[in-house]
Amino acid sequence: MMTRKVEAIQKRIEAAYRFENHDYIPYVVSHMNYWMDGEKPERIPSDYFTNPKAMMDYQLENIRIHQEQIDDDYIPFLMPWFGTCVVPSALGCPVHFSADGDPGVNGSVISEPEQVASLKKPDYEKDGLMPDVLRTITYMRENSDLPIAYTDVQGPLNIALNICGLENLFCWFYTNPDEAHQLMDFATDVLIDWIKIQQKYAGKDRLRGNFPHGIFLPEKFGNIWLADDDCTQISAEFYREFVVPYNSRIFKEFGGGTLHFCGSAKHQLQNFVDTDGLVGVNNFCMGDFEQVQLMQELFKDRAALMICDFAPHNPEQYYNELFSVLKPEGTILASFVMARYALDNGKYTTEERDVLDTALRIDQILKEKSW
């Protein structure tokens, strides 16, 4: 439902994508997270991944608290969340369900490059976790008027390395480049089909792929986000050959989009700039503010930069250091507050914390740093 507040937030974020936010950086303090990793076990609904109502009710309650307590640039939406393994699960990868976290891939499908040619597209309505996603989308569409995001689709690279294993894929870049390209092409085709199936179930007017890690993406700047956390482990040359063309194909298919990665990947920054259709980069920078500076310089007037992290152990120190190098134009901030995660000295560590108190503390810090 469009309100004046939502409309104002959309305009502020769109201004950032246009590099016209000279005196304000939009920010989100994400008290409302749809994943279960990092949540207190006693707060995880036992049927979160089996009952669409349980998933939606959990998200709606956190949205309610957020809207009552935190005045940031968050726009409410619902997410049919089943971890990062939905596409691999439909291609035959075994999935492990954790007792206190999200499902994840627990094995590959092929082990030899010659097996790539035997891969078949899944039945998107029957295989793996895909029917669970579609059932959840249907329930959310029928029982709420909030926007619905795509389930986490990751990207062709992540899908490919799950199919064959990370070490195999990276070796095939050297030894079997033709099969590696064939696998990346297959993963890209499957992903495009899967996104379109979700559109069919939710309706394009309701399903929005434009919430990269909970941050609104204006429709005119695309309708998809991908994740490439493994870009940190690949040479710039191999990433340019084996990943950039396939990410570009997906972004162009859906009118543009954003790319997420965690950590430091300074060697890939030019590759991001050279990815057709990329309009934004979402980086959990883990306190690497040197990389933030490099990205701001390189992405200027080309791609908005979403600077994110799990909430730091010492928010005051973190944001003092960040704001000492930050330029407002083209920048959006996000802090993801979890009950059992914190960023400390460049690493994510286990730390028990009160989610709402921490979120309010960070919200106040960012308000005081308004321009």
Side-chain angles (χ1 to χ4, degrees):
M1 180 182 296
M2 180 70 72
T3 65
R4 289 184 178 179
K5 180 178 180 180
V6 168
E7 186 176 0
I9 292 172
Q10 290 180 346
K11 289 181 178 178
R12 290 197 291 269
I13 293 178
E14 183 172 332
Y17 271 87
R18 294 185 182 281
F19 285 78
E20 296 173 351
N21 59 319
H22 307 298
D23 56 1
Y24 180 78
I25 295 182
Y27 73 90
V28 172
V29 182
S30 191
H31 164 271
M32 172 39 234
N33 298 306
Y34 40 82
W35 56 78
M36 293 295 101
D37 283 343
E39 178 60 281
K40 291 181 178 179
E42 62 270 20
R43 291 201 67 242
I44 299 176
S46 61
D47 54 350
Y48 190 74
F49 297 108
T50 58
N51 180 0
K53 183 178 187 301
M55 182 176 290
M56 191 180 80
D57 287 350
Y58 172 91
Q59 294 182 14
L60 287 175
E61 175 61 13
N62 280 286
I63 289 170
R64 181 190 65 79
I65 295 171
H66 187 111
Q67 290 186 299
E68 290 178 355
Q69 299 287 336
I70 301 171
D71 183 23
D72 60 358
D73 293 294
Y74 169 73
I75 294 177
F77 69 100
L78 296 172
M79 162 68 89
W81 172 252
F82 291 85
T84 61
C85 58
V86 173
V87 175
S89 77
L91 294 169
C93 291
V95 172
H96 170 72
F97 280 85
S98 170
D100 59 353
D102 298 316
V105 168
N106 193 31
S108 56
V109 178
I110 63 174
S111 58
E112 300 296 334
E114 295 78 14
Q115 295 174 295
V116 172
S118 67
L119 292 170
K120 304 297 182 184
K121 287 186 177 182
D123 184 324
Y124 299 95
E125 296 177 316
K126 294 181 179 179
D127 290 341
L129 293 172
M130 287 181 173
D132 298 290
V133 172
L134 298 178
R135 184 173 66 253
T136 304
I137 288 175
T138 300
Y139 184 86
M140 290 174 169
R141 184 196 69 219
E142 293 175 348
N143 293 278
S144 171
D145 61 358
L146 289 177
I148 304 169
Y150 301 108
T151 194
D152 190 312
V153 297
Q154 290 297 289
L157 175 62
N158 180 266
I159 294 169
L161 64 84
N162 275 300
I163 290 172
C164 67
L166 185 146
E167 291 183 4
N168 280 334
L169 182 62
F170 287 3
C171 286
W172 297 351
F173 288 165
Y174 287 95
T175 63
N176 296 81
D178 290 343
E179 287 82 359
H181 274 294
Q182 186 179 0
L183 180 56
M184 290 295 296
D185 190 61
F186 171 79
T188 301
D189 286 343
V190 169
L191 189 51
I192 289 172
D193 289 347
W194 172 228
I195 293 167
K196 290 180 177 179
I197 289 290
Q198 292 179 76
Q199 289 178 335
K200 170 187 170 184
Y201 269 74
K204 290 186 178 181
D205 60 326
R206 289 291 309 279
L207 192 142
R208 307 290 294 273
N210 48 7
F211 286 95
H213 276 81
I215 302 169
F216 173 74
L217 172 63
E219 189 170 0
K220 62 188 67 177
F221 287 91
N223 197 35
I224 190 64
W225 66 275
L226 304 176
D228 258 356
D229 289 318
D230 295 285
C231 71
T232 60
Q233 305 181 67
I234 305 176
S235 71
E237 292 74 21
F238 278 148
Y239 189 88
R240 185 177 306 115
E241 178 181 354
F242 291 100
V243 183
V244 169
Y246 303 100
N247 285 351
S248 295
R249 180 144 65 92
I250 293 174
F251 286 140
K252 288 189 288 185
E253 182 73 28
F254 295 99
T258 74
L259 185 70
H260 160 82
F261 73 99
C262 288
S264 299
K266 298 182 181 70
H267 62 300
Q268 304 292 10
L269 300 185
Q270 186 60 50
N271 281 331
F272 299 154
V273 172
D274 295 337
T275 300
D276 292 340
L278 183 140
V279 299
V281 170
N282 178 295
N283 175 223
F284 279 53
C285 70
M286 301 179 71
D288 186 348
F289 302 138
E290 178 185 1
Q291 178 173 259
V292 169
Q293 287 181 287
L294 291 173
M295 289 190 291
Q296 286 207 311
E297 294 170 6
L298 192 59
F299 299 165
K300 185 178 180 181
D301 297 323
R302 168 65 174 83
L305 177 58
M306 287 157 273
I307 304 169
C308 311
D309 263 322
F310 287 117
H313 169 72
N314 187 332
E316 288 82 6
Q317 177 183 348
Y318 176 96
Y319 285 107
N320 282 337
E321 293 179 9
L322 175 59
F323 276 82
S324 71
V325 304
L326 207 58
K327 299 175 182 177
E329 290 84 4
T331 303
I332 301 166
L333 300 179
S335 183
F336 296 86
V337 186
M338 302 303 298
R340 297 188 295 161
Y341 287 165
L343 175 70
D344 192 15
N345 292 322
K347 297 180 180 180
Y348 292 132
T349 60
T350 300
E351 178 178 315
E352 298 289 332
R353 63 206 319 189
D354 184 285
V355 171
L356 185 56
D357 285 351
T358 303
L360 290 170
R361 178 183 174 191
I362 293 173
D363 182 50
Q364 185 60 39
I365 290 170
L366 293 176
K367 277 185 169 55
E368 292 173 355
K369 291 184 177 295
S370 295
W371 287 259

